Each structure stands twice: as C-alpha cells, then as structure tokens.
Amino acid sequence: MTTVGILGGGQLARMLALSGAPLGLRFLVLDTAGDACAGQFAPMVVGDYTDQAALAEFASKVDVATFDFENVPAESAQWLAQRVPVFPSPRALAVAQDRLAEKTLFRELGIPVPQFADVPTREALDAAIAAIGTPCILKTRRLGYDGKGQFRLKSAADADAAWAALGAQAATVGLILEGFVRFERELSVVAVRGRDGEFRAWPLTENWHVDGVLSASLAPAQTDAALADTAHAYARKLAEALDYVGVFALELFCRDGELLANELAPRVHNSGHWTIEGSETSQFQNHLRAVLGLPLGDTRMLGTACMLNWIGQMPGAAPVLAEAGGHWHDYGKSPRAGRKVGHATLRAGSANELAAALARVGQALGRDAQVAPVIERLG
Ligand code: ATP
Ligand code: MG
Ligand code: MG
C-alpha cells in the first residue's frame, strides 16, 4: 500500500486524492486548517508547515510527498526531502515561489517575459517606474495568489499609493515591478514530466480572469498550431532546466501574437481542471503517476472543453447536470467572498455545441457575463 503525502489540503489535494483512489493509493494531507476540504477524503495531520513535530509525523507515514500549496517554506521542503522523496524538488519549488527568480530563469532560457525589476526600496520603485514605464504592476515576489499582493500603477503619480499598499513587504517577501502587458489573450500550458524525464503536455488552454482570479478556461485554445508549439516548447525547456517531476502550469500572455511568460505554478493548476473529463488522462492522475514513477497517461483531448470556476458560493447544479457533457465539482467548502468553492466542466464534440451549452448554462445560472467571452471565442 503506497501512501502519498500532500502538503496543503485544499481542492487540489482533494482532487488528487479522488483521482488516486482507483490506483489503490492512500493519502495523508498536512494542512494548518483542520477543516481543509481534502480532509473529507484523506486523513490529515494538522499543523504549521514549519512545525517540526507535524512534519516528522507526516514524513514517517508517507512514501512520497508532493504539494497542493506552492508556498510551503523551502526549508520545510528540504527537511522533508532528506527523509522521503519529494516531487517537485525543493529547488524547483524555490524558483517558482519567487517571481524574481522565475522571471530571471525564463529570460536565461530564452523565454520572453514582460519587463521586470527588483524593488527593494522606495527609491528603487522610482527607478523601476522610470525604466519600465507605465502602466505597470507592483507585486510581492513571494506568497501572492489569485491576484493578491498586487498594485496596478496607471502613472508615476501612483508610486506613493503603491508603496503605501505594499512597501512594508519589501523587507519581508520582496517586491517586483512588472510592465503591464496589454495582452489579447491569456494562455497556459499544463504539462507533466516523469521521474524518467518523459514529458507530456495537454493542449494549450485559454484563460479569462476576473479581478485577478481565474473565471473560465477553454481547451483547446483557439490559436494557430505554431503558437501552441512555441508554448509547449517553452514549457518543456523549463521542465528540463528544473529537472521538474510532476504536473506544472506555465501561464503566458499573448500580445501581438507573441508569447510572454507570466508565472510558473509548481503543481496541478486551476486551468487544468478541464482535463478531468476533457482528456484521456487528467492532470491529477498524471501528477500521481509522475511522482510515483509510473507510466504517464495520454494527454489527448476528448472533444472541446470549458471549465467555469465558482467563486464565493456554489450556484445550482441542475443546469450543468442537464447537459450531455456537463460535469460538476463541489469542493465541500463553506461559502466566502473570493473563495474558489467549485467548478463545472462542459465538454462537447464541437465548438458550436460547446458554445450552445455554455449559453444555456450561463442563462440558467444568471452567469451570462462569465460565459460570454468563451462563447465569443468559439465564434
Ligand atoms: P495565480 O492565482 O494565477 O497564482 P497570482 O496572484 O500569482 O495568481 P498573477 O498570475 O501574476 O497572480 O496575476 C493574476 C492576473 O493578473 C493574471 O492572470 C493577469 O490577468 C493579470 N496580470 C498579472 N500580471 C500582469 C501583467 N504584467 N500585465 C497584465 N496583466 C497582468
Ligand atoms: Mg501565482
Ligand atoms: Mg497567475
């Protein structure tokens, strides 16, 4: 009996556990919150990620460890890695935890990035604004997610407000200034690399965000094949450079037909949730296969798929369940503003059928605005 340990017990851990059940796997989740939603399907150790006793108990009970939460302190990941195999490696995790380190690596690998600069001080912010221009975005280097820890500057006159919002964090998690990219599209590559170096990627996905939080994903992205090939080549180069094991997502902006890398998520990713029903092998299943050294599954698509995120509270399931290709995921969380509580995936045999299903669901749930950009793209 193999036990997979997961650091972090949110919906990603929950979907990993659900996906691993047919493989006969056991799971153990470490989370700071006793009511973490993965705990409904897996035993838990409750404790802080820096708590030696909790880490020691976790390490003693698992055969391999992986992450649902990318901000586990690098030292904790390293401590664990001395006791049990940890995938992805603490080094890959450390790079992906720091926007400055990841963007520097992207650039070294020849992967284009938005303009960026380290901002250790207030003076450095002025210098960075002068160098990069406006509009731009000040972000924390570490610990940001769902658009948190970001401040958008329209002009240099916003520097004081930006510093008031985030300046205190320059000395703790660090700050980075990025040029604001007027992109036509946001895309992501969700890919997996095995312990033996085998690399597979799912078709390129297009993503729409609202207030910095993912709202909808469409796969395959309606782009030309050359763009998808370039995106996949970037993902592969990155995975090889980091000797990455497991699933990851590379978030990309497409501006004037060119790709710019935004960030690397060192884990299964929200923009890959459609793979549960939309692909021969889901990202969750392939992540488990990768970290266990099992053969990777085929990443081909089964039709066209759109994932809709449910933020704050769950809508009624019936309109989605009434669709032939409708699939429902309720993470079992209590409602809270801005919280990811569930998602739906609609799968269809053609773009037209998918657009029609999205229109029906959007109308029935009063979510026309959420489905509109996807329907427009499906044309
Ligand atoms: P995630 O939940 O994806 O981890 P995050 O908090 O790490 O989010 P980012 O991915 O950096 O944050 O930013 C969230 C969203 O804000 C992006 O998906 C994009 O829509 C927008 N955004 C971020 N950086 C830029 C930029 N430089 N130019 C334009 N838009 C941006
Ligand atoms: Mg992020
Ligand atoms: Mg992001």
Side-chain angles (χ1 to χ4, degrees):
M1 186 69 71
T2 302
T3 301
V4 177
I6 308 177
L7 294 152
Q11 66 270 17
L12 303 179
R14 178 184 171 104
M15 288 185 271
L16 282 169
L18 288 168
S19 175
L23 293 176
L25 300 174
R26 295 286 169 94
F27 291 85
L28 181 68
V29 166
L30 174 64
D31 198 290
T32 54
D35 64 349
C37 74
Q40 294 160 18
F41 293 101
M44 284 187 72
V45 174
V46 180
D48 195 84
Y49 301 114
T50 54
D51 174 351
Q52 283 280 331
L55 285 171
E57 183 189 349
F58 180 81
S60 72
K61 291 181 175 168
V62 305
D63 298 296
V64 60
T66 189
F67 307 91
D68 141 291
F69 177 64
E70 71 201 73
N71 292 314
V72 169
E75 309 75 60
S76 299
Q78 273 153 11
W79 188 89
L80 265 183
Q82 285 158 16
R83 285 151 184 89
V84 57
V86 175
F87 299 111
S89 70
R91 177 182 156 241
L93 188 74
V95 171
Q97 281 177 346
D98 181 352
R99 294 186 196 279
L100 187 66
E102 74 185 351
K103 288 202 164 63
T104 303
L105 176 65
F106 294 158
R107 202 160 58 186
E108 279 168 17
L109 294 174
I111 301 171
V113 285
Q115 283 190 283
F116 68 93
D118 188 16
V119 179
T121 62
R122 178 68 182 80
E123 296 70 48
L125 176 60
D126 287 335
I129 294 170
I132 289 172
T134 54
C136 51
I137 307 191
L138 186 64
K139 298 182 181 179
T140 56
R141 278 171 56 179
R142 297 167 180 280
L143 301 183
Y145 68 98
D146 287 347
K148 294 180 174 60
Q150 303 192 6
F151 191 99
R152 298 187 179 196
L153 295 87
K154 290 198 183 67
S155 74
D158 293 335
D160 283 332
W163 194 257
L166 297 176
Q169 295 184 68
T172 54
V173 294
L175 299 175
I176 184 174
L177 190 77
E178 297 178 10
F180 188 86
V181 180
R182 291 193 177 85
F183 52 78
E184 298 102 51
R185 297 173 190 221
E186 287 201 75
L187 302 162
S188 60
V189 179
V190 180
V192 60
R193 188 164 175 274
R195 279 161 76 156
D196 61 357
E198 183 182 5
F199 176 89
R200 294 185 185 220
W202 284 268
L204 191 62
T205 299
E206 178 165 3
N207 304 306
W208 288 266
H209 292 80
V210 175
D211 298 330
V213 185
L214 186 66
S215 170
S217 294
L218 172 66
Q222 312 285 296
T223 62
D224 59 77
L227 194 81
D229 287 349
T230 302
H232 285 136
Y234 291 161
R236 183 176 198 134
K237 202 183 271 189
L238 190 58
E240 286 171 359
L242 291 169
D243 194 17
Y244 194 94
V245 175
V247 167
F248 66 96
L250 175 61
E251 297 182 7
L252 300 157
F253 300 133
C254 181
R255 180 183 65 192
D256 302 330
E258 301 283 345
L259 295 172
L260 299 172
N262 175 36
E263 64 171 345
L264 163 66
R267 49 172 170 73
V268 288
H269 193 251
N270 199 165
S271 73
H273 289 358
W274 64 264
T275 61
I276 298 173
E277 295 91 5
S279 171
E280 183 69 39
T281 314
S282 80
Q283 63 167 347
F284 301 99
Q285 171 82 196
N286 258 348
H287 183 68
L288 294 169
R289 293 191 191 196
V291 304
L292 292 167
L294 298 170
L296 301 180
D298 198 298
T299 51
R300 75 177 153 207
M301 286 205 68
L302 311 170
T304 304
C306 175
M307 190 257 358
L308 300 170
N309 252 356
W310 306 135
I311 312 289
Q313 60 180 42
M314 296 295 296
V320 169
L321 298 179
E323 294 292 334
H327 301 275
W328 194 252
H329 296 262
D330 182 333
Y331 306 151
K333 293 179 174 179
S334 43
R336 190 201 297 157
R339 191 179 209 194
K340 290 175 178 172
V341 291
H343 75 268
T345 296
L346 293 169
R347 196 183 74 208
S350 70
N352 283 344
E353 284 171 54
L354 182 61
L358 282 166
R360 286 189 294 271
V361 165
Q363 181 162 50
L365 296 179
R367 303 209 177 215
D368 304 276
Q370 188 174 3
V371 299
V374 189
I375 293 172
E376 189 189 329
R377 184 69 80 220
L378 289 166

